[in-house]
Structures are given as structure tokens and as C-alpha cells.
Amino acid sequence: MLNGSDALFITLRDIPERLADDVKDWFFRPVDQSKEVPGSVKSEKEIIQMAQKALSLCEADITNGSLRHDTELMLTKPVRILKEWRLWAVGGKIVTYSLYKEGSRVVYRHEIDGDALEFAQQLVDLNSDYSPAFVIDICRTEDGLKVIETNCINAAGFYAADPMKLASEIDEFRVV
């Protein structure tokens, strides 16, 4: 996994006491994958300011979908991502893919490194009962290939994947 092995798990209310308000950067996101705040890299100072702003609100006035005092966050050392791909798995096999980021540039190309395709297929093979159809996002880092996340296919952007091939594979797939 890309993030998590050395992560600090902390509630929003504990951030002002636990972080040092220095220039250290963290990748942070809500633990439950909610979208109160998107996963991003921020300095400790920025994270503390964000927490203090949310903590200044009365809990009863905070709407669902917003950062709450008890929102659990994951903070971890940022990882430099060299390339990111989205791949679609249907019936246990990768059927299409797209490069969607190269370094910090967003790019949409129907291409993938051979070892990345093999890595993704190995992950699908290891989790054959995961789902009949899903997307898996992987990346290349300075430390090798990593999983970013998996998601349902109906909420995933297609980028430069082959949607006709994907539709054909889904049409031919039958759950036994």
C-alpha cells in the first residue's frame, strides 16, 4: 500500500496538541475514506490551522460531510509518485487501463509499463473474490510499485482507457 505503514492515526480534536506547528509536511486524509477533505499534502502548520477552524465550531452545528471534532485522520510521510495508472478489472482480469498522472502533470494516455500491468494483475489474482468488476489505481514510486486504492467502476473516470473494450467485457461477463 502507498500510505499507512508508518501512519499516525489521530482525531481532529487531538491535532493542535499532538502536532508541533513546524514546517514538516504530511500526507493526510480521513481514515474512513470520506471526502470531508481530500487527501493531500500539507504542512503541520496548515493542518493545525484547519483543525482549529473546525474545532471553533459547535459540534451540533456541523453538518454531515464536514470535518467533525471526532473525525479520524491518517497522517503519513508524503511519497513522491512518478506515474499513476487506473486499471479496470472484470471477471478476474485487467481489461483496460490509463496512465493519468506522470510526476505532477495530469496526462491521459492509453499506456502502461509492463511491470505495472503485471503487478496489478497479480493483485487481482490474489483477491479473486474482491468484486466481479472494479478499478484499481496503482503508482510507481522511488521505492517501486504501490497500490493507491480500489473503487467501484461506476464512480471512476475513464481517462484514456478503452471504454468499448470495458463495456464489451462487462457485457460478456456472467456472475456464476
Side-chain angles (χ1 to χ4, degrees):
M1 297 294 291
L2 179 64
N3 302 108
S5 62
D6 63 345
L8 169 65
F9 294 92
I10 185 172
T11 61
L12 186 75
R13 77 169 49 89
D14 294 330
I15 284 177
E17 284 183 22
R18 298 266 313 269
L19 296 187
D21 194 19
D22 64 20
V23 294
K24 181 178 181 179
D25 287 339
W26 291 93
F27 170 79
F28 81 104
R29 68 169 178 78
V31 170
D32 66 2
Q33 297 282 351
S34 59
K35 300 297 182 185
E36 290 103 337
V37 290
S40 63
V41 176
K42 294 198 179 296
S43 70
E44 285 193 359
K45 184 175 183 172
E46 291 171 310
I47 295 169
I48 290 169
Q49 289 171 345
M50 175 201 63
Q52 288 171 332
K53 184 176 179 181
L55 293 168
S56 71
L57 302 172
C58 175
E59 283 189 272
D61 294 336
I62 300 174
T63 60
N64 288 339
S66 298
L67 278 176
R68 304 184 64 77
H69 297 197
D70 62 351
T71 300
E72 188 175 22
L73 299 167
M74 179 188 85
L75 286 79
T76 189
K77 178 183 170 188
V79 175
R80 183 168 173 251
I81 296 174
L82 306 173
K83 289 184 179 181
E84 293 181 51
W85 297 273
R86 172 160 295 157
L87 301 94
W88 285 258
V90 177
K93 66 179 182 175
I94 301 295
V95 298
T96 191
Y97 46 80
S98 176
L99 176 69
Y100 66 90
K101 206 164 181 194
E102 196 164 26
S104 61
R105 294 180 312 128
V106 173
V107 295
Y108 300 145
R109 292 194 304 260
H110 185 69
E111 66 181 50
I112 191 167
D113 297 345
D115 63 333
L117 180 59
E118 184 178 317
F119 174 73
Q121 185 61 59
Q122 288 172 350
L123 293 170
V124 170
D125 293 344
L126 286 170
N127 297 286
S128 60
D129 294 332
Y130 180 66
S131 178
F134 62 98
V135 296
I136 181 169
D137 292 350
I138 64 170
C139 66
R140 180 176 306 285
T141 70
E142 293 168 333
D143 295 324
L145 295 164
K146 306 286 184 184
V147 176
I148 297 174
E149 65 181 336
T150 62
N151 270 306
C152 60
I153 62 170
N154 62 326
F158 288 106
Y159 307 127
D162 184 342
M164 295 305 292
K165 185 172 183 181
L166 177 61
S168 176
E169 290 291 331
I170 290 171
D171 187 52
E172 292 178 24
F173 180 73
R174 304 284 185 259
V175 178
V176 181

